[in-house]
Amino acid sequence: MKSKLLGILGLLIPLVAIAPSFAQFNTNDPDVFLKGQASSCQGCNLRGADLSNTRRVNAQLRQADLTEANLSDGYFEGAYFTCADLTRSQLENAEFPYANFVDANLSGADLSGADLSKTDLSGAIIDDTTNLAGANLEGAKLWDARTIYQPGVDLSEIPRNKDIEKQRVKCNNQ
């Protein structure tokens, strides 16, 4: 009996090892992503989606349309929002440590109280309609990779390097 059980376990363990893990699964179906059945949804239409109070570590949301989406109080450590459109999205009190917002559109986004520590915001569209009140930007990269936010720095005083911006690969949302 014991040897049969060990034999069955020996057959099951390799199957578990080769099954795709949640962290590796990418989908193009927004519903699959929203149900939590996939960790990534690159290029997906997530316009107006409710991802509040959601935990997604290392999510791949490159080029996703997150216009007017609600990510407030969520946890998105290491997530990729490269070239994503987050126009007028709600990101209040969400945590984005080590996330990547390179060339993302954050126009009109509410990032009040958000944790953007060590986040890469190079080339992101941050304008006068973007709310960063109370956001933690400690160690965040802004404008280009050489500009690192230090506490107490007035964001409006950080010079933008127009030559570097012209060399950047632009997203469709710009």
Side-chain angles (χ1 to χ4, degrees):
M1 176 78 167
K2 187 176 179 183
S3 64
K4 274 188 177 182
L5 182 59
L6 289 175
I8 292 170
L9 285 175
L11 292 173
L12 291 177
I13 290 173
L15 292 176
V16 171
I18 62 171
S21 70
F22 175 81
Q24 297 171 343
F25 185 60
N26 183 48
T27 184
N28 293 325
D29 184 343
D31 292 329
V32 171
F33 178 77
L34 292 172
K35 290 177 185 173
Q37 298 168 339
S39 62
S40 299
C41 197
Q42 298 184 85
C44 285
N45 181 355
L46 296 166
R47 181 180 285 262
D50 185 5
L51 291 164
S52 60
N53 299 300
T54 300
R55 181 180 177 85
R56 300 287 174 98
V57 177
N58 298 323
Q60 306 290 323
L61 292 164
R62 291 178 178 99
Q63 299 178 335
D65 183 356
L66 290 155
T67 303
E68 298 178 347
N70 183 358
L71 284 73
S72 55
D73 297 306
Y75 185 82
F76 298 90
E77 181 179 352
Y80 282 85
F81 295 95
T82 308
C83 295
D85 190 351
L86 292 131
T87 304
R88 296 179 308 281
S89 58
Q90 299 169 335
L91 305 143
E92 309 93 81
N93 302 310
E95 297 180 55
F96 300 99
Y98 301 100
N100 183 312
F101 286 91
V102 172
D103 295 328
N105 188 344
L106 293 167
S107 180
D110 186 354
L111 289 148
S112 58
D115 178 6
L116 296 165
S117 59
K118 312 236 180 351
T119 298
D120 191 348
L121 293 157
S122 302
I125 299 172
I126 299 172
D127 60 20
D128 58 351
T129 65
T130 305
N131 184 358
L132 291 166
N136 177 6
L137 290 162
E138 189 170 342
K141 295 178 185 177
L142 296 165
W143 314 153
D144 63 57
R146 294 181 302 218
T147 306
I148 307 294
Y149 175 78
Q150 298 297 325
V153 172
D154 181 358
L155 294 178
S156 65
E157 297 298 317
I158 297 175
R160 295 194 72 146
N161 186 326
K162 298 293 182 187
D163 292 329
I164 288 177
E165 288 182 16
K166 288 177 189 174
Q167 296 171 21
R168 298 184 71 82
V169 175
K170 297 295 181 181
C171 304
N172 292 333
N173 64 18
Q174 295 189 20

